[in-house]
Amino acid sequence: MRVSFVIILMALAFCSCSDNTKQEKDQLNAILKVHDKVMDNDDVLMKSKMKLDSLLKVKTIKDTTEIKALDVKLAAAEDSMEDWMHKFEPDPAGKSHDEIMQYHSDQKKQIMAVDSVMNQAIGEANQYFSNHK
């Protein structure tokens, strides 16, 4: 009876560990999915910055205030992405399941905020380009 009980406890512990690991991996994959989307937008952001830089060199544009403001927003969005990437720690070694889940939850919120800032800056730049052809 004792042997059966020990085997059942070990099996339950093993199953809960694998469930925890799956939850952690699923949460990390969700973060990486948003990250990949943001990285795709980074190419769009860079092209927008290049267009704005080219416009700043055009002598016929008298008021460059809006262009410079958009350039600052795009740079800030890019900086927020780089900052998040430098601080992100994908290796959860030495942390409990709850700590890992909380960290992943916080990181997902942060990368989603980066995505939002980037989308807004790109959207404003695109709006400027469509209004000033």
Side-chain angles (χ1 to χ4, degrees), residues 34-107:
V34 177
H35 166 269
D36 292 346
K37 180 179 176 263
V38 171
M39 290 305 294
D40 288 342
N41 284 340
D42 191 51
D43 291 338
V44 175
L45 184 140
M46 293 307 293
K47 288 177 184 174
S48 295
K49 283 181 61 72
M50 289 183 343
K51 284 182 187 178
L52 291 173
D53 289 342
S54 296
L55 288 174
L56 285 172
K57 295 176 184 174
V58 174
K59 303 289 188 210
T60 58
I61 297 177
K62 304 278 189 242
D63 187 10
T64 59
T65 306
E66 190 175 4
I67 296 171
K68 289 177 183 176
L70 288 170
D71 191 52
V72 168
K73 282 186 178 184
L74 290 169
E78 182 180 29
D79 289 346
S80 68
M81 176 59 180
E82 289 176 9
D83 186 48
W84 179 84
M85 286 178 63
H86 286 290
K87 292 178 181 176
F88 181 65
E89 288 291 331
D91 183 15
K95 294 181 181 176
S96 71
H97 172 70
D98 290 339
E99 290 171 325
I100 292 168
M101 295 300 286
Q102 183 61 51
Y103 179 75
H104 284 171
S105 177
D106 294 343
Q107 292 303 304

Coordinates of all heavy atoms in Angstrom, one line a residue, residues 34-107:
V34 N 4.3 38.1 -30.0 CA 4.2 39.5 -30.1 C 5.6 40.1 -30.5 O 5.6 41.1 -31.3 CB 3.7 40.1 -28.7 CG1 3.7 41.6 -28.7 CG2 2.4 39.5 -28.3
H35 N 6.6 39.6 -29.9 CA 8.0 40.1 -30.3 C 8.2 40.0 -31.8 O 8.7 40.9 -32.4 CB 9.0 39.3 -29.5 CG 10.4 39.5 -30.0 ND1 11.0 38.7 -31.0 CD2 11.4 40.4 -29.7 CE1 12.2 39.1 -31.2 NE2 12.5 40.1 -30.5
D36 N 7.9 38.9 -32.4 CA 8.1 38.7 -33.8 C 7.3 39.7 -34.6 O 7.8 40.2 -35.6 CB 7.7 37.3 -34.2 CG 8.7 36.2 -33.6 OD1 9.8 36.6 -33.2 OD2 8.3 35.0 -33.7
K37 N 6.1 40.0 -34.2 CA 5.2 41.0 -34.8 C 5.9 42.4 -34.7 O 6.0 43.1 -35.7 CB 3.9 41.0 -34.2 CG 2.9 42.0 -34.8 CD 1.5 41.9 -34.1 CE 0.6 43.0 -34.7 NZ 0.5 44.2 -33.9
V38 N 6.4 42.7 -33.6 CA 7.1 44.0 -33.3 C 8.3 44.0 -34.2 O 8.6 45.1 -34.8 CB 7.4 44.2 -31.9 CG1 8.3 45.4 -31.7 CG2 6.1 44.3 -31.0
M39 N 9.1 42.9 -34.3 CA 10.3 43.0 -35.2 C 9.9 43.2 -36.6 O 10.6 43.9 -37.4 CB 11.1 41.7 -35.0 CG 11.7 41.5 -33.6 SD 12.8 42.9 -33.2 CE 14.1 42.7 -34.5
D40 N 8.8 42.6 -37.1 CA 8.3 42.9 -38.5 C 8.0 44.4 -38.6 O 8.3 45.0 -39.7 CB 7.1 42.0 -38.8 CG 7.4 40.6 -39.0 OD1 8.6 40.2 -39.2 OD2 6.5 39.8 -38.9
N41 N 7.4 45.0 -37.6 CA 7.1 46.4 -37.7 C 8.3 47.2 -37.6 O 8.3 48.4 -38.0 CB 6.1 46.8 -36.6 CG 4.7 46.3 -36.9 OD1 4.3 46.1 -38.0 ND2 3.9 46.3 -35.8
D42 N 9.4 46.7 -37.0 CA 10.6 47.5 -36.9 C 11.2 47.8 -38.3 O 11.7 48.9 -38.5 CB 11.7 46.7 -36.2 CG 12.9 47.5 -35.8 OD1 12.7 48.6 -35.2 OD2 14.0 47.1 -36.1
D43 N 11.0 46.9 -39.3 CA 11.4 47.2 -40.7 C 10.6 48.4 -41.2 O 11.1 49.3 -41.9 CB 11.2 46.0 -41.6 CG 12.2 44.9 -41.3 OD1 13.2 45.1 -40.7 OD2 11.9 43.7 -41.6
V44 N 9.3 48.4 -41.0 CA 8.4 49.4 -41.4 C 8.8 50.8 -40.8 O 8.9 51.8 -41.4 CB 6.9 49.1 -41.1 CG1 6.0 50.3 -41.5 CG2 6.5 47.8 -41.8
L45 N 9.1 50.7 -39.5 CA 9.6 51.8 -38.7 C 10.8 52.4 -39.3 O 10.9 53.7 -39.5 CB 9.8 51.5 -37.3 CG 10.2 52.6 -36.3 CD1 9.5 52.4 -35.0 CD2 11.6 52.6 -36.1
M46 N 11.8 51.6 -39.7 CA 13.0 52.1 -40.2 C 12.8 52.7 -41.6 O 13.4 53.8 -41.9 CB 14.0 50.9 -40.3 CG 14.5 50.4 -39.0 SD 15.2 51.6 -37.9 CE 16.6 52.1 -38.8
K47 N 12.0 52.2 -42.4 CA 11.6 52.8 -43.7 C 11.0 54.1 -43.5 O 11.3 55.1 -44.3 CB 10.8 51.8 -44.5 CG 11.5 50.6 -45.0 CD 10.6 49.7 -45.8 CE 11.4 48.4 -46.2 NZ 10.6 47.4 -46.8
S48 N 10.1 54.2 -42.5 CA 9.4 55.5 -42.3 C 10.5 56.5 -41.8 O 10.4 57.7 -42.2 CB 8.4 55.3 -41.2 OG 7.3 54.5 -41.6
K49 N 11.4 56.1 -41.0 CA 12.5 57.0 -40.5 C 13.3 57.5 -41.7 O 13.7 58.7 -41.8 CB 13.4 56.4 -39.5 CG 12.7 56.3 -38.1 CD 13.6 55.7 -37.1 CE 14.9 56.4 -36.8 NZ 14.9 57.6 -36.1
M50 N 13.6 56.6 -42.6 CA 14.4 57.0 -43.8 C 13.6 58.0 -44.7 O 14.2 59.0 -45.2 CB 14.8 55.8 -44.6 CG 15.8 54.9 -43.9 SD 16.5 53.4 -44.7 CE 15.4 53.0 -46.0
K51 N 12.3 57.8 -44.8 CA 11.5 58.7 -45.6 C 11.5 60.1 -44.9 O 11.6 61.1 -45.6 CB 10.1 58.2 -45.7 CG 9.9 57.1 -46.7 CD 8.4 56.8 -46.7 CE 8.1 55.6 -47.6 NZ 6.6 55.2 -47.6
L52 N 11.3 60.1 -43.6 CA 11.3 61.4 -42.9 C 12.7 62.1 -43.0 O 12.8 63.3 -43.2 CB 11.0 61.2 -41.4 CG 9.5 60.8 -41.2 CD1 9.3 60.4 -39.7 CD2 8.5 61.9 -41.6
D53 N 13.8 61.3 -42.9 CA 15.1 61.9 -43.0 C 15.3 62.5 -44.4 O 15.9 63.6 -44.5 CB 16.2 60.8 -42.8 CG 16.3 60.5 -41.3 OD1 15.8 61.2 -40.4 OD2 16.9 59.4 -41.0
S54 N 14.8 61.8 -45.4 CA 14.9 62.4 -46.8 C 14.1 63.6 -46.9 O 14.5 64.6 -47.6 CB 14.3 61.3 -47.8 OG 15.2 60.2 -47.8
L55 N 12.9 63.7 -46.3 CA 12.1 64.9 -46.4 C 12.7 66.1 -45.7 O 12.6 67.2 -46.1 CB 10.7 64.6 -45.8 CG 9.7 63.8 -46.6 CD1 8.5 63.5 -45.8 CD2 9.4 64.5 -47.9
L56 N 13.5 65.8 -44.6 CA 14.2 66.9 -43.9 C 15.2 67.5 -44.8 O 15.6 68.7 -44.6 CB 14.8 66.3 -42.6 CG 13.8 66.1 -41.5 CD1 14.5 65.4 -40.3 CD2 13.2 67.4 -41.0
K57 N 15.7 66.8 -45.7 CA 16.8 67.3 -46.6 C 16.2 68.1 -47.8 O 17.0 68.8 -48.5 CB 17.7 66.1 -47.1 CG 18.4 65.5 -46.0 CD 19.2 64.3 -46.5 CE 19.9 63.6 -45.3 NZ 20.5 62.4 -45.6
V58 N 14.9 68.0 -48.0 CA 14.3 68.7 -49.1 C 14.2 70.2 -48.8 O 13.7 70.6 -47.7 CB 12.9 68.1 -49.4 CG1 12.2 68.9 -50.5 CG2 13.0 66.7 -49.9
K59 N 14.8 71.0 -49.6 CA 14.8 72.4 -49.4 C 13.5 73.1 -49.5 O 13.3 74.2 -48.9 CB 15.8 73.1 -50.3 CG 17.2 72.5 -50.3 CD 17.9 72.9 -49.0 CE 19.4 72.4 -49.1 NZ 19.9 72.1 -47.9
T60 N 12.5 72.6 -50.2 CA 11.2 73.2 -50.4 C 10.3 73.1 -49.2 O 9.3 73.8 -49.2 CB 10.5 72.6 -51.7 OG1 10.4 71.2 -51.5 CG2 11.3 72.9 -52.9
I61 N 10.6 72.2 -48.3 CA 9.8 72.1 -47.1 C 10.2 73.2 -46.1 O 11.3 73.1 -45.6 CB 9.8 70.7 -46.5 CG1 9.3 69.7 -47.5 CG2 9.1 70.6 -45.2 CD1 9.4 68.2 -47.1
K62 N 9.3 74.1 -45.8 CA 9.6 75.2 -45.0 C 9.5 74.8 -43.5 O 10.4 75.1 -42.7 CB 8.7 76.4 -45.3 CG 8.7 76.9 -46.7 CD 9.9 77.8 -46.9 CE 9.7 78.4 -48.3 NZ 10.8 78.0 -49.2
D63 N 8.4 74.2 -43.1 CA 8.2 73.9 -41.7 C 8.4 72.4 -41.5 O 7.7 71.5 -42.0 CB 6.7 74.2 -41.3 CG 6.5 74.0 -39.8 OD1 7.4 73.8 -39.1 OD2 5.3 74.1 -39.5
T64 N 9.5 72.1 -40.8 CA 9.9 70.7 -40.6 C 9.5 70.2 -39.2 O 9.9 69.1 -38.8 CB 11.4 70.5 -40.8 OG1 12.1 71.4 -39.9 CG2 11.8 70.8 -42.3
T65 N 8.8 71.0 -38.5 CA 8.4 70.7 -37.1 C 7.7 69.4 -37.0 O 8.0 68.6 -36.1 CB 7.5 71.8 -36.5 OG1 8.2 73.1 -36.6 CG2 7.3 71.6 -35.0
E66 N 6.7 69.2 -37.8 CA 5.9 67.9 -37.7 C 6.8 66.7 -38.1 O 6.7 65.7 -37.5 CB 4.7 68.0 -38.7 CG 3.7 66.9 -38.5 CD 2.5 67.0 -39.3 OE1 2.3 68.0 -40.1 OE2 1.6 66.1 -39.2
I67 N 7.6 66.9 -39.1 CA 8.5 65.8 -39.5 C 9.5 65.4 -38.4 O 9.7 64.3 -38.1 CB 9.3 66.2 -40.8 CG1 8.4 66.4 -42.0 CG2 10.4 65.2 -41.1 CD1 9.1 67.0 -43.2
K68 N 10.0 66.5 -37.7 CA 11.0 66.2 -36.6 C 10.2 65.5 -35.5 O 10.8 64.6 -34.8 CB 11.6 67.5 -36.2 CG 12.6 68.0 -37.2 CD 13.2 69.4 -36.7 CE 14.2 69.9 -37.8 NZ 14.7 71.2 -37.4
A69 N 9.0 65.9 -35.2 CA 8.2 65.3 -34.1 C 7.9 63.9 -34.4 O 8.0 63.0 -33.5 CB 6.9 66.1 -33.9
L70 N 7.6 63.6 -35.6 CA 7.4 62.2 -36.0 C 8.6 61.3 -35.9 O 8.6 60.2 -35.5 CB 6.8 62.1 -37.5 CG 5.4 62.6 -37.6 CD1 5.0 62.7 -39.1 CD2 4.4 61.6 -36.9
D71 N 9.7 61.9 -36.3 CA 11.0 61.3 -36.2 C 11.3 60.9 -34.8 O 11.8 59.8 -34.5 CB 12.1 62.1 -36.9 CG 13.4 61.4 -37.0 OD1 13.4 60.3 -37.6 OD2 14.5 61.8 -36.6
V72 N 11.1 61.8 -33.9 CA 11.3 61.6 -32.4 C 10.4 60.4 -31.9 O 10.9 59.6 -31.2 CB 11.0 62.9 -31.6 CG1 11.0 62.6 -30.1 CG2 12.1 63.9 -31.9
K73 N 9.1 60.4 -32.4 CA 8.2 59.3 -32.0 C 8.7 58.0 -32.5 O 8.7 57.0 -31.8 CB 6.8 59.6 -32.5 CG 6.0 60.6 -31.7 CD 4.6 60.7 -32.1 CE 3.9 61.7 -31.2 NZ 2.5 61.8 -31.6
L74 N 9.1 58.0 -33.7 CA 9.6 56.7 -34.3 C 10.9 56.2 -33.5 O 11.1 55.1 -33.3 CB 9.9 56.8 -35.8 CG 8.7 57.0 -36.7 CD1 9.1 57.4 -38.1 CD2 7.8 55.7 -36.7
A75 N 11.8 57.2 -33.2 CA 13.0 56.8 -32.5 C 12.7 56.3 -31.1 O 13.3 55.4 -30.6 CB 13.9 58.0 -32.4
A76 N 11.7 57.0 -30.5 CA 11.3 56.5 -29.1 C 10.7 55.1 -29.2 O 11.0 54.3 -28.3 CB 10.3 57.5 -28.5
A77 N 9.9 54.8 -30.2 CA 9.3 53.5 -30.3 C 10.4 52.4 -30.5 O 10.4 51.4 -29.9 CB 8.4 53.4 -31.5
E78 N 11.4 52.8 -31.4 CA 12.5 51.9 -31.6 C 13.4 51.7 -30.3 O 13.7 50.6 -30.0 CB 13.4 52.5 -32.7 CG 14.6 51.6 -33.1 CD 15.5 52.2 -34.2 OE1 15.5 53.5 -34.3 OE2 16.1 51.4 -34.9
D79 N 13.6 52.8 -29.6 CA 14.3 52.7 -28.3 C 13.6 51.8 -27.3 O 14.2 51.0 -26.6 CB 14.5 54.1 -27.7 CG 15.6 54.9 -28.5 OD1 16.3 54.3 -29.4 OD2 15.6 56.1 -28.3
S80 N 12.2 51.9 -27.3 CA 11.5 51.1 -26.3 C 11.6 49.6 -26.7 O 11.7 48.8 -25.8 CB 10.0 51.5 -26.3 OG 9.4 51.2 -27.5
M81 N 11.7 49.3 -27.9 CA 11.9 47.9 -28.3 C 13.2 47.4 -27.9 O 13.4 46.3 -27.4 CB 11.7 47.7 -29.9 CG 11.9 46.4 -30.4 SD 10.9 45.1 -29.6 CE 11.4 43.7 -30.4
E82 N 14.3 48.2 -28.2 CA 15.6 47.8 -27.9 C 15.8 47.6 -26.4 O 16.4 46.7 -25.9 CB 16.6 48.8 -28.5 CG 16.7 48.7 -30.0 CD 17.7 49.8 -30.5 OE1 18.4 50.5 -29.8 OE2 17.7 49.9 -31.8
D83 N 15.2 48.6 -25.6 CA 15.3 48.5 -24.2 C 14.6 47.2 -23.7 O 15.2 46.6 -22.8 CB 14.6 49.8 -23.6 CG 14.7 49.9 -22.1 OD1 15.9 49.7 -21.6 OD2 13.7 50.1 -21.4
W84 N 13.4 46.9 -24.2 CA 12.8 45.7 -23.7 C 13.6 44.5 -24.1 O 13.8 43.6 -23.2 CB 11.4 45.6 -24.4 CG 10.7 44.3 -24.0 CD1 10.0 44.1 -22.8 CD2 10.7 43.0 -24.6 NE1 9.5 42.8 -22.8 CE2 10.0 42.1 -23.9 CE3 11.3 42.6 -25.8 CZ2 9.8 40.8 -24.2 CZ3 11.1 41.2 -26.2 CH2 10.4 40.4 -25.4
M85 N 14.2 44.4 -25.3 CA 15.0 43.3 -25.7 C 16.2 43.1 -24.8 O 16.6 42.0 -24.4 CB 15.4 43.4 -27.1 CG 14.3 43.2 -28.1 SD 14.7 43.4 -29.8 CE 15.9 42.1 -30.0
H86 N 16.8 44.2 -24.4 CA 18.0 44.1 -23.6 C 17.7 43.6 -22.1 O 18.5 42.9 -21.5 CB 18.8 45.4 -23.5 CG 19.5 45.8 -24.7 ND1 20.6 45.1 -25.2 CD2 19.2 46.7 -25.7 CE1 21.0 45.6 -26.3 NE2 20.2 46.6 -26.7
K87 N 16.5 43.9 -21.7 CA 16.2 43.6 -20.3 C 15.5 42.2 -20.2 O 15.4 41.6 -19.1 CB 15.2 44.6 -19.7 CG 15.9 46.0 -19.5 CD 15.0 47.0 -18.9 CE 15.7 48.3 -18.7 NZ 14.7 49.4 -18.3
F88 N 14.9 41.7 -21.3 CA 14.2 40.5 -21.3 C 15.1 39.3 -21.0 O 16.2 39.1 -21.6 CB 13.5 40.2 -22.6 CG 12.7 39.0 -22.7 CD1 11.6 38.8 -21.8 CD2 13.0 38.0 -23.5 CE1 10.8 37.7 -21.9 CE2 12.3 36.8 -23.6 CZ 11.2 36.6 -22.7
E89 N 14.7 38.5 -20.0 CA 15.5 37.3 -19.6 C 14.6 36.0 -19.9 O 13.7 35.7 -19.2 CB 15.8 37.3 -18.1 CG 16.8 38.3 -17.8 CD 18.2 37.9 -18.3 OE1 18.5 36.7 -18.4 OE2 19.0 38.9 -18.5
P90 N 14.9 35.3 -21.0 CA 14.0 34.2 -21.4 C 14.4 32.9 -20.5 O 13.6 32.0 -20.5 CB 14.4 33.9 -22.8 CG 15.7 34.5 -23.0 CD 15.8 35.6 -22.1
D91 N 15.5 32.9 -19.8 CA 15.9 31.7 -19.1 C 15.4 31.9 -17.6 O 15.9 32.7 -16.9 CB 17.4 31.6 -19.1 CG 17.9 30.4 -18.3 OD1 17.1 29.5 -18.1 OD2 19.1 30.3 -18.0
P92 N 14.5 31.1 -17.2 CA 13.9 31.2 -15.9 C 14.6 30.4 -14.8 O 14.1 30.2 -13.7 CB 12.5 30.6 -16.1 CG 12.7 29.5 -17.1 CD 13.8 30.1 -18.0
A93 N 15.9 30.1 -15.0 CA 16.6 29.2 -14.1 C 16.6 29.8 -12.7 O 16.8 31.0 -12.5 CB 18.0 29.1 -14.5
G94 N 16.3 29.0 -11.7 CA 16.3 29.4 -10.3 C 15.0 30.1 -9.8 O 15.0 30.5 -8.7
K95 N 14.0 30.1 -10.7 CA 12.8 30.8 -10.3 C 11.7 29.7 -10.1 O 11.7 28.7 -10.8 CB 12.3 31.8 -11.3 CG 13.3 33.0 -11.4 CD 12.8 34.0 -12.5 CE 13.7 35.1 -12.6 NZ 13.3 36.1 -13.6
S96 N 10.7 30.0 -9.2 CA 9.6 29.1 -9.1 C 8.6 29.2 -10.2 O 8.7 30.2 -11.0 CB 8.9 29.4 -7.7 OG 8.2 30.6 -7.8
H97 N 7.7 28.3 -10.3 CA 6.7 28.4 -11.4 C 5.9 29.7 -11.3 O 5.7 30.3 -12.3 CB 5.8 27.2 -11.3 CG 4.6 27.2 -12.2 ND1 4.7 27.1 -13.5 CD2 3.3 27.4 -11.9 CE1 3.5 27.3 -14.1 NE2 2.6 27.5 -13.1
D98 N 5.5 30.0 -10.1 CA 4.7 31.3 -9.9 C 5.5 32.5 -10.3 O 5.0 33.4 -10.9 CB 4.2 31.4 -8.4 CG 3.2 30.4 -8.1 OD1 2.5 29.8 -9.0 OD2 3.0 30.1 -6.9
E99 N 6.8 32.5 -9.9 CA 7.7 33.7 -10.3 C 7.8 33.7 -11.8 O 7.8 34.8 -12.4 CB 9.0 33.5 -9.7 CG 9.1 33.7 -8.2 CD 10.4 33.4 -7.5 OE1 11.1 32.5 -8.0 OE2 10.8 34.1 -6.6
I100 N 8.0 32.6 -12.5 CA 8.1 32.5 -13.9 C 6.8 33.0 -14.6 O 6.9 33.9 -15.5 CB 8.5 31.1 -14.4 CG1 9.9 30.8 -13.9 CG2 8.3 31.0 -15.9 CD1 10.2 29.3 -14.1
M101 N 5.7 32.6 -14.1 CA 4.4 33.0 -14.7 C 4.2 34.5 -14.5 O 3.7 35.1 -15.4 CB 3.3 32.1 -14.1 CG 3.3 30.6 -14.4 SD 3.3 30.3 -16.1 CE 1.6 30.6 -16.5
Q102 N 4.5 35.0 -13.3 CA 4.4 36.4 -13.1 C 5.3 37.2 -14.0 O 4.9 38.2 -14.6 CB 4.6 36.8 -11.6 CG 4.4 38.2 -11.3 CD 2.9 38.7 -11.6 OE1 2.0 38.0 -11.1 NE2 2.8 39.7 -12.3
Y103 N 6.5 36.8 -14.1 CA 7.5 37.4 -15.0 C 7.0 37.4 -16.4 O 7.1 38.5 -17.1 CB 8.9 36.8 -14.9 CG 9.9 37.4 -15.7 CD1 10.5 38.6 -15.4 CD2 10.3 36.8 -16.9 CE1 11.4 39.2 -16.2 CE2 11.3 37.4 -17.7 CZ 11.8 38.6 -17.4 OH 12.8 39.2 -18.2
H104 N 6.6 36.3 -16.9 CA 6.1 36.2 -18.3 C 4.9 37.1 -18.5 O 4.8 37.8 -19.5 CB 5.7 34.8 -18.6 CG 6.9 33.9 -18.9 ND1 6.9 32.6 -19.1 CD2 8.3 34.2 -19.0 CE1 8.1 32.1 -19.3 NE2 8.9 33.0 -19.3
S105 N 4.0 37.2 -17.5 CA 2.8 38.0 -17.6 C 3.2 39.5 -17.7 O 2.7 40.2 -18.6 CB 1.9 37.8 -16.4 OG 0.8 38.7 -16.4
D106 N 4.2 39.9 -16.9 CA 4.7 41.3 -16.9 C 5.4 41.6 -18.2 O 5.2 42.6 -18.8 CB 5.7 41.5 -15.8 CG 5.0 41.4 -14.4 OD1 3.8 41.5 -14.3 OD2 5.8 41.3 -13.4
Q107 N 6.1 40.6 -18.7 CA 6.9 40.8 -20.0 C 5.9 40.9 -21.2 O 6.1 41.7 -22.1 CB 7.9 39.7 -20.2 CG 9.1 39.8 -19.2 CD 9.8 41.1 -19.3 OE1 10.2 41.6 -20.3 NE2 9.8 41.8 -18.1

